[in-house]
Amino acid sequence: MIRRPPRSTLSSSSAASDVYKRQERLRPKDPEKPEEDGEFAEDNPQQVCREAHHQDEFNPDAAYADLLQEAYNSNSRAVEALKFIGVTAKDVQEHPVVVIAPGTVSRRFKIRDVCMYMLRFFEDLELFESPYDVVLCDSDIVGCIQIDDVEQLIQIARALPSRATRHLSSLWILHPGRQAKVVMAAFQAAGFKAHERVACVETVAELCDVMWKRRIVLPDYVYSKENKSQTGGLGHGLQHHGDMMVKTRKMLWDETIHKQQQRRRYTLLQRDRESLIYFKEQHAELQGAERWEEAGYVEQDIAALEQEIAELEFLSQGSSS
């Protein structure tokens, strides 16, 4: 799948603008316009030296573009079915609160596949474009995914665009444990400068307090952990009441994420249909101007969009039936 074009803007700050950047590179040079430094580098020895000097330096823009391409080319259906991430609240300033629940992810899944789906989730909902909050519900459940590849997390964290960290208002870690420590160590090693925005909370009640009593939907396992610690040895009746509460929380979480996935598919479907119209118009213009190379690239974009639209239509029909 391709990276979708910008919704209504060609802003270079949008991660979606890479398809337009490619078209810009393929556009023929104006013979009357002076060449900018860097064009036709083989005729510019100084530029060649500069490129050789910097070729080993880390380029965050290029790294993030590669991550986006990987995220949108990956098969995310199995990861999406895990229902481990969603926007389930708003803070006091009405900013979205993203809840991440690694405790719902089996350890048979690779951490990179999960991260790629998360990246796609944030980009599809344009969460990096404005202030947002994150709640990470740490888990010590046996059999759930283990976050142990620190180097891979560092690589991903270093490639995140500056807007992702700049717009992060707060990161709350609920029931902090070993997994959360690994994540924070990776982000600190990557130069993630947001320590003042990170807070660890030990209970759901404490989380609600720091969120100023805002309503938030959380995964069932956080309640199960607190239920066990609060009702241990206090009798079967109280334990049964706690178990019923946990089951209710699970149904609420699953229903909330399911509805959000449906809305997200509908939004993406409408966006892709608009993008398809745009690319077909561009393709006709390029063919009329006999710019065959560019037209060939646009044909690939059209084919990818048509495939994605068909998949989204299939998923939407399946979820509504």
Side-chain angles (χ1 to χ4, degrees):
M1 298 181 186
I2 66 167
R3 173 64 249 180
R4 295 176 182 82
R7 274 58 68 182
S8 58
T9 176
L10 303 185
S11 170
S12 60
S13 64
S14 171
S17 63
D18 59 340
V19 290
Y20 293 94
K21 292 175 183 176
R22 182 180 65 195
Q23 293 174 5
E24 185 68 28
R25 287 199 304 270
L26 291 173
R27 187 167 298 144
K29 304 294 186 301
D30 187 347
E32 297 181 359
K33 178 181 178 181
E35 295 174 6
E36 297 180 2
D37 186 29
E39 296 180 358
F40 305 107
E42 63 273 13
D43 298 329
N44 190 338
Q46 293 182 350
Q47 178 68 13
V48 172
C49 291
R50 284 197 296 269
E51 291 181 356
H53 177 71
H54 294 295
Q55 64 182 354
D56 294 330
E57 291 187 2
F58 179 74
N59 186 331
D61 292 335
Y64 190 60
D66 291 341
L67 282 181
L68 276 183
Q69 183 176 6
E70 179 182 347
Y72 279 88
N73 286 334
S74 61
N75 184 2
S76 61
R77 192 179 304 178
V79 181
E80 182 182 46
L82 299 171
K83 298 179 180 178
F84 76 98
I85 185 172
V87 178
T88 67
K90 290 186 177 180
D91 63 17
V92 292
Q93 296 178 313
E94 294 300 311
H95 299 150
V97 178
V98 182
V99 177
I100 303 174
T104 66
V105 182
S106 169
R107 68 184 311 160
R108 68 183 180 88
F109 286 90
K110 297 179 180 179
I111 185 63
R112 189 171 188 86
D113 293 338
V114 174
C115 289
M116 291 301 101
Y117 177 79
M118 289 173 56
L119 181 61
R120 184 170 178 169
F121 178 88
F122 275 86
E123 283 292 345
D124 282 346
L125 298 183
E126 303 178 359
L127 294 169
F128 289 154
E129 306 303 325
S130 57
Y132 67 98
D133 305 278
V134 174
V135 175
L136 174 62
C137 302
D138 203 355
S139 171
D140 55 2
I141 300 175
V142 177
C144 74
I145 192 170
Q146 297 297 309
I147 307 175
D148 48 15
D149 193 340
V150 180
E151 291 301 323
Q152 191 165 186
L153 288 178
I154 293 175
Q155 178 192 20
I156 295 173
R158 289 184 66 200
L160 288 177
S162 59
R163 55 195 167 90
T165 55
R166 183 174 66 252
H167 287 143
L168 175 63
S169 299
S170 300
L171 169 58
W172 295 297
I173 302 176
L174 178 60
H175 299 158
R178 189 189 69 84
Q179 304 249 63
K181 293 178 180 178
V182 172
V183 172
M184 292 311 303
F187 275 84
Q188 290 175 8
F192 184 77
K193 300 177 180 179
H195 309 299
E196 68 282 357
R197 288 172 275 174
V198 179
C200 294
V201 290
E202 299 294 339
T203 65
V204 175
E206 185 181 349
L207 175 64
C208 292
D209 286 341
V210 297
M211 290 185 62
W212 299 90
K213 303 295 183 182
R214 305 292 286 187
R215 182 180 180 274
I216 184 171
V217 179
L218 299 170
D220 58 295
Y221 67 83
V222 301
Y223 298 98
S224 178
K225 179 175 181 177
E226 294 191 9
N227 178 51
K228 291 179 181 178
S229 62
Q230 293 172 2
T231 62
L234 295 181
H236 177 72
L238 188 58
Q239 180 66 42
H240 177 71
H241 174 76
D243 291 342
M244 290 298 296
M245 184 270 291
V246 171
K247 291 180 180 179
T248 302
R249 296 293 185 178
K250 176 174 175 53
M251 289 189 292
L252 179 59
W253 170 264
D254 289 345
E255 181 182 5
T256 301
I257 301 302
H258 177 68
K259 289 182 178 179
Q260 189 172 102
Q261 289 175 347
Q262 287 182 310
R263 291 194 299 269
R264 175 169 163 259
R265 287 174 190 148
Y266 176 79
T267 300
L268 297 181
L269 185 57
Q270 298 306 310
R271 187 185 303 168
D272 283 350
R273 285 170 176 167
E274 294 174 1
S275 300
L276 184 60
I277 294 174
Y278 169 84
F279 278 120
K280 285 185 175 180
E281 292 174 350
Q282 291 294 306
H283 183 256
E285 292 180 9
L286 292 170
Q287 283 190 320
E290 298 184 354
R291 292 158 62 177
W292 308 116
E293 184 178 6
E294 293 176 73
Y297 280 114
V298 176
E299 285 177 5
Q300 296 176 18
D301 290 338
I302 291 174
L305 275 171
E306 290 176 337
Q307 179 182 352
E308 184 168 327
I309 288 173
E311 180 181 348
L312 287 170
E313 289 175 339
F314 174 79
L315 292 174
S316 298
Q317 292 172 359
S319 61
S320 60
S321 61

